[in-house]
Every structure is written in C-alpha cells, then in structure tokens.
Amino acid sequence: MWSFFADLIQNVGTDHTIVVMDADGMGKTRRYQVRPSRMMMTWGGSLLGVGVTVAVLIAFTPLRTQVPGYGTEEMQENARLNTLRVQALQDSLSAQRHYIQRLRGLITGRVDSTPLSEEGRPESRGARGARSPNEEGGAPGGEATESSARAHRQPAFAPTVGVEGNAPAALTGLSFPLSPPVTNGFPTRDFDVESGHYGVDVAVSEGEYIRAVGEGYVVWADWAQDGGYTIAVQHAGGYLSVYKHSRRLLKQLGDRVTTQEPLAVTGNTGAVTTGPHLHFELWRNGLAQGPDAYIAGW
C-alpha cells in the first residue's frame, strides 16, 4: 500500500491506470484513469475547507469557550467585577433596609421600647421618654402611677393647644395654624389614639390636589398595602406629615417641597379604605399629633 502511494507521489504529473480485480483472478476487471495531481488538489481543498469551517465555529460561536485556556484572564476579570458589584448591591440594600425600618417606625409611631427594670417592669417614663415630676415620687416599690403607665403604653397622644387654639410656642419650623392639605374636603373621622387611628380622614372627591402643609423634603413616596400610594414629608422641628390613599404621586423620594405645593392626587387606593378620601397624619419625634389641633378649619 505504501509503495503504491509512493509511486503516485513520484509521478504526480503523469496519468495512471488503476486496474481493480479479484484476488483469485475471477470476475470482471475494472480500470480507472487517475492523475495524482488532481487527487492531491481535491484532498488539500477538502482539508482546507474543513479547517476554515472549524476556525469559524470556534471564533464566532460559544464553542470557543470549550478551548482550554481561551479567555481565562477575561473571565477572571469579569468574575472579580461581578463580585464587587454584588458586594456593593448588598451594602446598598442593607443601608436602604435600615433606612426604611427607621422611617416605618417614625410613621407608625413604634419607638424603641423602654429598658426593663430588674423586676421586669418598664421604667417609669413619660410619652417622650423623659421622667415626669409626678413620677419622681411614685408609688412604693418603684411602680409607676396609672397616668404615667398609660402614657408609656400609648406611643401617640393628642397635643395640648393654647387658649386661642394656636400651637405651643415650642413647636417651631411650621407656620401654625397650618393650611389644610386639601381645599374641598371635610373631616369624617377624627384622630383617635384608643382605636389606633393616628390621623384624620378627610372626604374629598378624586382628582383633587393634595398639598404640603409646610416646607420640607419627601422621605417616603411609594405604595403601601393599607394606605395605597403614600407620601411623607419631613419638616423642621422633628415634624413629619403623611398623606395616604392617593391615586397618583407627583413627587418622589428626596424632592424638596414648599408650603402648599402639590404632592399627590386624591384617590381611593389601598386595602383599608371605604371611598375616596385623604388620610392625613402629623408626627413629631416619632409621636402622633392630633392634626385637628394644628389645621385651620378642622
């Protein structure tokens, strides 16, 4: 066999007649005219075509990733960058989660619990966390009076107003009395600490502007399960105003707003609602205030 191929290679330019016959000399004899140069061109072209096809598949298809050592440095760099991105996202999510927890506690009035005494009872402190003069001379054994215990258990309270209905002089940052957040509405449900209703419900038709009661920054503008589209504005002096059940929000987190600037559009969103209305809350230092004591005309 090898001598046959050697003979073909040695005589590339000449024609050869190949006779094919059975080993025992029986049967029909077949003759083929062969030129070695054409055979080598055909074989070479076929090999070249196969090589080009394989190269194209490796270069332009995912098969290139199966080549040992291909793209190792690039893959390592991508993996390092992805790891840094994941760590940055985790840090950002952790910071946002902490911020949302603090904001939710401020809106709902769930302040930090008072440390327990050695007997397991809460220390006698007022609603704002400071010991009142009456508690200094409490009952024997260190037990708090009934009034102080009631204030401690209740995170929100109705503020004391002056004789003429104005806010106390200590309340700064907002111009009292405040203008109503809606102009065409009227209160239908008052502020009620005992039932856990820490705001005022104002009946109003849909599509009315909800306006800021004072200058501040938007610290919450998102959907809430109970309150629907809710927006909250942080004011000076530790005040926070909250507006719930909006149909559409006009501001977003971080926006600075001025007094009576439109914040949202009234609606009937959220799980806890029986019709178009605005649920308005006013908080100070994490404690709910009775809005009717501060809003003109309420």
Side-chain angles (χ1 to χ4, degrees):
M1 177 63 69
W2 293 110
S3 60
F4 170 72
F5 286 110
D7 185 61
L8 291 177
I9 293 174
Q10 291 175 0
N11 302 277
V12 174
T14 60
D15 294 338
H16 295 268
T17 301
I18 300 177
V19 179
V20 180
M21 57 183 303
D22 297 337
D24 54 3
M26 303 299 292
K28 184 179 179 180
T29 301
R30 298 177 295 277
R31 296 175 180 270
Y32 298 95
Q33 201 72 19
V34 177
R35 181 180 290 272
S37 58
R38 294 179 180 176
M39 292 177 59
M40 295 182 65
M41 290 177 61
T42 302
W43 293 344
S46 299
L47 292 175
L48 180 62
V50 171
V52 171
T53 302
V54 173
V56 170
L57 290 175
I58 294 177
F60 299 102
T61 66
L63 289 176
R64 63 180 180 273
T65 59
Q66 305 300 321
V67 179
Y70 180 86
T72 302
E73 295 182 358
E74 181 180 359
M75 293 174 63
Q76 290 179 351
E77 180 65 17
N78 289 337
R80 187 183 69 84
L81 293 177
N82 289 335
T83 301
L84 294 177
R85 293 190 185 101
V86 170
Q87 292 177 351
L89 287 174
Q90 289 176 344
D91 294 340
S92 178
L93 288 174
S94 177
Q96 290 181 6
R97 189 180 300 110
H98 181 66
Y99 173 76
I100 291 175
Q101 288 176 351
R102 293 182 59 187
L103 182 59
R104 183 178 292 113
L106 182 62
I107 293 177
T108 59
R110 296 176 181 175
V111 295
D112 295 336
S113 59
T114 306
L116 298 178
S117 63
E118 295 180 358
E119 291 81 5
R121 294 187 299 269
E123 293 183 359
S124 302
R125 294 188 180 274
R128 295 184 181 272
R131 190 177 298 274
S132 63
N134 294 334
E135 293 176 52
E136 297 297 338
E143 295 182 359
T145 63
E146 179 62 25
S147 60
S148 63
R150 187 165 54 250
H152 175 73
R153 288 194 302 267
Q154 182 53 252
F157 67 98
T160 302
V161 298
V163 177
E164 298 180 356
N166 295 326
L171 303 180
T172 59
L174 295 176
S175 179
F176 298 102
L178 303 173
S179 298
V182 289
T183 56
N184 297 324
F186 57 92
T188 57
R189 184 180 178 186
D190 295 332
F191 176 82
D192 187 4
V193 170
E194 298 299 331
S195 63
H197 192 252
Y198 299 130
V200 173
D201 289 343
V202 182
V204 62
S205 59
E206 292 194 42
E208 299 287 339
Y209 279 137
I210 300 174
R211 302 178 182 274
V213 297
E215 183 180 7
Y217 288 89
V218 176
V219 294
W220 180 279
D222 207 342
W223 172 270
Q225 177 63 24
D226 293 341
Y229 286 110
T230 302
I231 188 167
V233 178
Q234 181 69 59
H235 308 281
Y239 285 97
L240 180 82
S241 57
V242 182
Y243 316 78
K244 298 182 178 181
H245 305 298
S246 304
R247 184 177 70 183
R248 181 165 57 94
L249 301 179
L250 304 179
K251 299 296 181 179
Q252 59 184 357
L253 183 66
D255 286 349
R256 180 174 180 175
V257 297
T258 58
T259 303
Q260 289 297 294
E261 182 175 357
L263 301 175
V265 177
T266 57
N268 187 32
T269 61
V272 184
T273 180
T274 57
H277 74 285
L278 166 67
H279 177 86
F280 174 78
E281 298 177 2
L282 185 65
W283 298 77
R284 189 189 187 199
N285 298 328
L287 298 176
Q289 313 292 302
D292 54 343
Y294 299 102
I295 303 297
W298 287 8

